[in-house]
Amino acid sequence: MTAAERLLNHLHAGPRTAVVLHDPSNMFYLTEGYTGEGLVYLSEEQRVIITDFRYTEQAERQAPGFRVEMTEQGRNHNQVLAELAKADGIDELRAETNYLPVDDFEKLRAAVGEEISCMPLNKAVQKLREIKSQTEVLAIRKACDITSEAFNAILPKIREGMTEKELQIELDFTMLRLGADEMAFDTIIASGENGSLCHAIPGSRKLKNGDMITMDFGAKVGGYCSDMTRTVALGQPSPEMRKVYETVLRAQTMCEEALMAGKKGCDIDKLARDYIDARGYAGRFGHGLGHSVGIDIHEDPRLSQTCKDVLAAGVVITVEPGIYLPGVGGVRIENTCLVKENGCVPLTTADKQLITL
């Protein structure tokens, strides 16, 4: 069954209901490969990519199971969509109201006319995307292999006097050289006192002896992301930062060991949070424990205090506790993991023990 068929079945869509997709990640998923611009129209009768001249040939190559309709002067995307919906006798159109700006949604609604009601899709595609197929897991595993290999390759290049930005460039280049299509997100390098910044932007700060260096990075392969974080020491870390590292490592390992289908995201998060608090770092772990990974770097379900979703086998999710001490530094350790019925499989394979360079 194709992804498009799974969506229509999930929606219990009859012959008079159609779906329009604008979110590029959802278009990629439903067409099983299209990466260009435009929109996707799905009904019981038709599978259509509506795009302009720049992407028509690309769409035909990437999504052979879809017909391609090209826009032209005087016939824009919404007008083509309206033609398709009326030809199908559609009276309900499900749209991504969470993604479309209000102005664009109003233009869409005006184009199809009052006889067709426009209803929210309610993230139905994202719900389908939560459980990864074997093909998707293979792509994510390959991306994880690249990040793990890149981490091992970059360690000998880290030296005192190197800037955070220089380290980011080396790491990004290494992932590309090893086969990444692109970065899954902007690489984070946080050294010394900058380690307390969860999403630090690599800058001109030079690495110093005694620094803890946090590297949060990911590769994208075949449209799917990986996400890993490692913190290493350049020279001997202080006793306090060594304790921080040991605390984060224990929290990460204990949560990874507890991760399995049937558990709630909030319960796994609580394991890490309670342990970190008990070690004297209450309030210094301020983000969620993890997030699902796939076509987008941040997907649902999540491991957080507020996520009561029950994890299912086939979810790919990160486990990434951290401790952040303003003016001192921080530590985060992160693996991307595949949830199974009776446990999990870490797709990130790089060593988690403290590495002193």
Side-chain angles (χ1 to χ4, degrees):
M1 185 181 291
T2 66
E5 289 168 339
R6 287 197 300 275
L7 176 62
L8 294 176
N9 286 346
H10 176 76
L11 295 172
H12 304 291
R16 299 179 69 83
T17 298
V19 175
V20 58
L21 300 161
H22 291 80
D23 183 332
S25 296
N26 286 341
M27 291 198 296
F28 174 83
Y29 180 77
L30 266 298
T31 61
E32 301 180 16
Y34 178 57
T35 59
E37 295 180 6
L39 57 86
V40 170
Y41 172 85
L42 301 175
S43 71
E44 215 175 61
E45 298 296 327
Q46 302 192 76
R47 308 280 191 272
V48 184
I49 294 171
I50 304 171
T51 190
D52 63 70
F53 173 81
R54 296 171 300 164
Y55 298 100
T56 53
E57 184 179 359
Q58 177 180 332
E60 289 166 353
R61 291 186 183 188
Q62 292 180 328
F66 282 68
R67 190 171 88 253
V68 180
E69 285 280 349
M70 187 174 74
T71 60
E72 54 193 359
Q73 191 170 0
R75 185 172 176 259
N76 64 28
H77 295 78
N78 286 337
Q79 288 167 326
V80 177
L81 171 66
E83 292 170 12
L84 296 171
K86 287 170 184 175
D88 281 339
I90 298 303
D91 56 27
E92 180 182 272
L93 184 64
R94 303 288 295 273
E96 296 171 303
T97 52
N98 65 297
Y99 180 83
L100 279 176
V102 173
D103 287 351
D104 288 348
F105 178 69
E106 291 300 329
K107 290 175 184 176
L108 170 65
R109 190 157 61 178
V112 300
E114 294 181 358
E115 64 272 21
I116 297 178
S117 62
C118 294
M119 305 294 291
L121 190 53
N122 292 327
K123 294 190 175 181
V125 184
Q126 285 89 333
K127 190 66 181 175
L128 290 180
R129 285 167 48 191
E130 289 183 8
I131 309 299
K132 271 53 179 183
S133 68
Q134 185 176 6
T135 300
E136 290 176 302
V137 171
L138 286 173
I140 297 170
R141 187 187 292 274
K142 184 175 180 181
C144 287
D145 287 344
I146 287 172
T147 54
S148 294
E149 190 176 347
F151 172 72
N152 292 330
I154 202 72
L155 292 176
K157 299 182 180 181
I158 298 175
R159 64 187 186 279
E160 192 171 1
M162 184 183 209
T163 67
E164 293 173 337
K165 190 67 179 178
E166 288 170 338
L167 178 52
Q168 178 203 2
I169 291 167
E170 287 282 355
L171 186 51
D172 288 354
F173 174 76
T174 301
M175 284 189 282
L176 291 170
R177 182 174 55 79
L178 290 171
D181 297 331
E182 58 181 312
M183 305 304 103
F185 55 93
D186 291 340
T187 295
I188 296 167
I189 305 291
S191 62
E193 66 280 2
N194 288 343
S196 66
L197 305 173
C198 303
H199 280 183
I201 298 172
S204 59
R205 185 190 184 279
K206 294 183 178 180
L207 308 184
K208 302 174 185 176
N209 187 58
D211 278 351
M212 300 292 276
I213 306 165
T214 297
M215 296 173 277
D216 186 345
F217 55 103
K220 200 162 192 176
V221 177
Y224 287 84
C225 302
S226 64
D227 193 358
M228 74 171 278
T229 306
R230 291 294 185 269
T231 302
V232 301
L234 183 58
Q236 291 300 318
S238 68
E240 175 67 10
M241 291 309 296
R242 188 177 290 276
K243 179 188 174 187
V244 168
Y245 192 96
E246 291 169 353
T247 301
V248 173
L249 177 61
R250 177 62 186 142
Q252 200 281 335
T253 300
M254 120 183 5
C255 291
E256 205 170 271
E257 290 172 348
L259 188 65
M260 68 176 66
K263 296 287 188 72
K264 290 182 179 179
C266 56
D267 291 339
I268 303 295
D269 178 277
K270 189 174 187 300
L271 284 175
R273 208 163 299 280
D274 287 352
Y275 179 73
I276 288 171
D277 288 355
R279 291 275 289 175
Y281 299 107
R284 301 317 328 151
F285 171 34
H287 56 75
L289 178 66
H291 55 87
S292 292
V293 173
I295 297 168
D296 294 324
I297 191 60
H298 294 118
E299 297 186 353
D300 291 328
R302 298 176 184 248
L303 305 178
S304 73
Q305 292 173 285
T306 59
C307 183
K308 294 180 170 54
D309 292 346
V310 176
L311 299 173
V315 166
V316 176
I317 200 163
T318 67
V319 180
E320 50 176 308
I323 294 174
Y324 310 93
L325 306 178
V328 179
V331 171
R332 183 165 66 254
I333 302 170
E334 173 187 24
N335 278 353
T336 297
C337 301
L338 171 63
V339 177
K340 308 283 279 186
E341 290 292 348
N342 298 307
C344 80
V345 177
L347 302 180
T348 308
T349 57
D351 191 1
K352 294 190 297 186
Q353 299 299 317
L354 178 60
I355 294 172
T356 302
L357 303 173

